[in-house]
Amino acid sequence: MGPAGSGKSTYCQTIMQHCEAAKRRVHLVNLDPAAERFEYPPSVDIRELITLEDVMDELGYGPNGGLIYCFEFLMENLDWLEDQLGDYEDDYLILDCPGQIELYTHIPIMRQVAHLLQQWNFQVVGVYCLESQFVEDTSKYFAGVMSATSAMGMLEIPHINVMTKMDLVSKELRDKMERYFDPDPLLLADDANKSTDNRFHELNQAIATLIDEFSMVRFLPLNIRDEDSVAYILSHADNAIQWGEDQEPKEPDDDVEEADRSD
Ligand SMILES: Nc1nc2c(ncn2[C@@H]2O[C@H](COP(=O)(O)OP(=O)(O)OP(=O)(O)O)[C@@H](O)[C@H]2O)c(=O)[nH]1
Ligand SMILES: [Mg+2]
C-alpha cells in the first residue's frame, strides 16, 4: 500500500521476480479495480469481480467514490475472495492495493481485508511504500511518516515501510537521506525549522520527538536495480510474518515427486 504512484505495483513485480528466481511459490493478487496492466498476470484479480470503469460508467460515480463502492462490493462477495485465495493457501501472496490513501487511513476497509486474511490463516504483513523523490525535505518526510503511521495504526497488522525509487536518488542525496532511514530527532527538527515559519518550530520538535520516542517509523530503502536491496526488503517482510523453515523453497514439481514416492 501507499500513495498514488509511490511504486506499489513496481514493488510487487520486483518481489515476484525475485521470489520466482529463488523458486519460491509466489502469486500476485490484484486488489486494484482500476489497475491497467501487469507484467506478471495476477493469479487473483479483483477486476474479474468488479472494475472501477464499470462502476463509474454504470453508476455515475467519480473515481474515489467508485473505488469505495468496489471495496464495499468485495466485502459483500467475500466468498469469491476466499474461494480464489483458497487455491494458494500454502504459498506466498503479494497483494497489490490501490493508491487512494483513504482506504488505509480513513475508512476501515483495508483493515477488514487484512483481518479476514488472518482469519483465513494467512500471515499478513503490511508494506507501506513512500517515494524517495517525495522526501527530499523534512516537511514532506513528516507528512509521509504521518500517513504511514496512520495506516499502521488503522490496519493493526505487522508493518514495514519501504522507501521506493532509490535508484533515482543521487549518491549525494542518498547520504543525506540516511537521516530519514534511522531518524535523529534533533537533526530532523533543525532541518524542518529551516523551511518552516517560526510558529511551527515547536510542532516540528514535537513530531521529531514522537518519531524518535515511539520508534514509530523506520524506512527501508529499496533500489529495484540492486538484488541485495530487494533481498533485504524481502527478509524484513519474511521476518514480520515468520516465513521460513516450514516453507522451504520448492521446485514446482516437488509435490508430484512426493506423491509419486508415496505411491
Ligand atoms: N526508476 C524507478 N521508477 C519507478 C520505481 N517504482 C516505480 N517507478 C515508476 O513510477 C511510476 C509509478 O509506479 P507504480 O509502480 O505504477 O506505482 P503505484 O504505486 O502502483 O501507482 P498507482 O497504482 O497508480 O497508485 C511508474 O512510471 C514506474 O515505472 C523505481 O523503483 N524506480
Ligand atoms: Mg499500482
Side-chain angles (χ1 to χ4, degrees), residues 166 173-184 221:
M166 288 303 293
L173 188 57
R174 160 90 215 204
D175 291 344
K176 188 176 167 235
M177 285 178 76
E178 290 293 332
R179 75 180 54 179
Y180 298 124
F181 302 146
D182 196 6
D184 173 333

Side-chain angles (χ1 to χ4, degrees), residues 79-254:
D79 289 355
W80 175 85
L81 187 61
E82 190 174 10
D83 200 40
Q84 296 273 315
L85 295 179
D87 292 343
Y88 307 113
E89 60 187 6
D90 295 324
D91 297 347
Y92 192 89
L93 304 182
I94 305 177
L95 283 74
D96 192 359
C97 300
Q100 273 82 350
I101 202 76
E102 57 268 36
L103 284 178
Y104 319 105
T105 57
H106 296 38
I107 53 173
I109 282 189
M110 287 318 271
R111 175 165 65 191
Q112 286 171 21
V113 172
H115 290 188
L116 275 167
L117 291 168
Q118 289 175 324
Q119 273 175 30
W120 296 336
N121 286 326
F122 288 100
Q123 307 293 321
V124 187
V125 55
V127 178
Y128 193 93
C129 296
L130 191 69
E131 193 172 335
S132 51
Q133 307 299 296
F134 204 78
V135 184
E136 64 215 8
D137 73 48
T138 309
S139 311
K140 288 183 188 167
Y141 171 75
F142 281 172
V145 168
M146 291 296 161
S147 59
T149 309
S150 169
M152 183 164 73
M154 188 74 160
L155 266 73
E156 298 178 314
I157 52 173
H159 180 107
I160 62 172
N161 294 294
V162 172
M163 196 162 288
T164 58
K165 310 194 188 182
M166 288 303 293
D167 57 306
L168 300 177
V169 170
S170 65
K171 168 84 179 72
E172 190 193 359
L173 188 57
R174 160 90 215 204
D175 291 344
K176 188 176 167 235
M177 285 178 76
E178 290 293 332
R179 75 180 54 179
Y180 298 124
F181 302 146
D182 196 6
D184 173 333
L186 284 178
L187 274 180
L188 282 181
D190 269 2
D191 247 18
N193 290 349
K194 283 182 203 147
S195 57
T196 45
D197 190 89
N198 279 348
R199 287 177 297 156
F200 294 107
H201 289 188
E202 223 173 310
L203 179 63
N204 290 338
Q205 184 59 54
I207 296 174
T209 307
L210 196 69
I211 292 171
D212 182 54
E213 282 185 0
F214 289 86
S215 293
M216 283 198 314
V217 174
R218 294 280 177 275
F219 283 94
L220 310 169
L222 169 62
N223 178 348
I224 57 170
R225 301 190 200 290
D226 174 359
E227 278 303 311
D228 289 345
S229 171
V230 178
Y232 173 74
I233 301 286
L234 187 61
S235 70
H236 275 268
D238 284 351
N239 197 26
I241 56 172
Q242 295 172 350
W243 180 275
E245 284 165 19
D246 43 338
Q247 287 119 337
E248 285 299 321
K250 279 186 168 184
E251 294 291 343
D253 23 301
D254 272 5

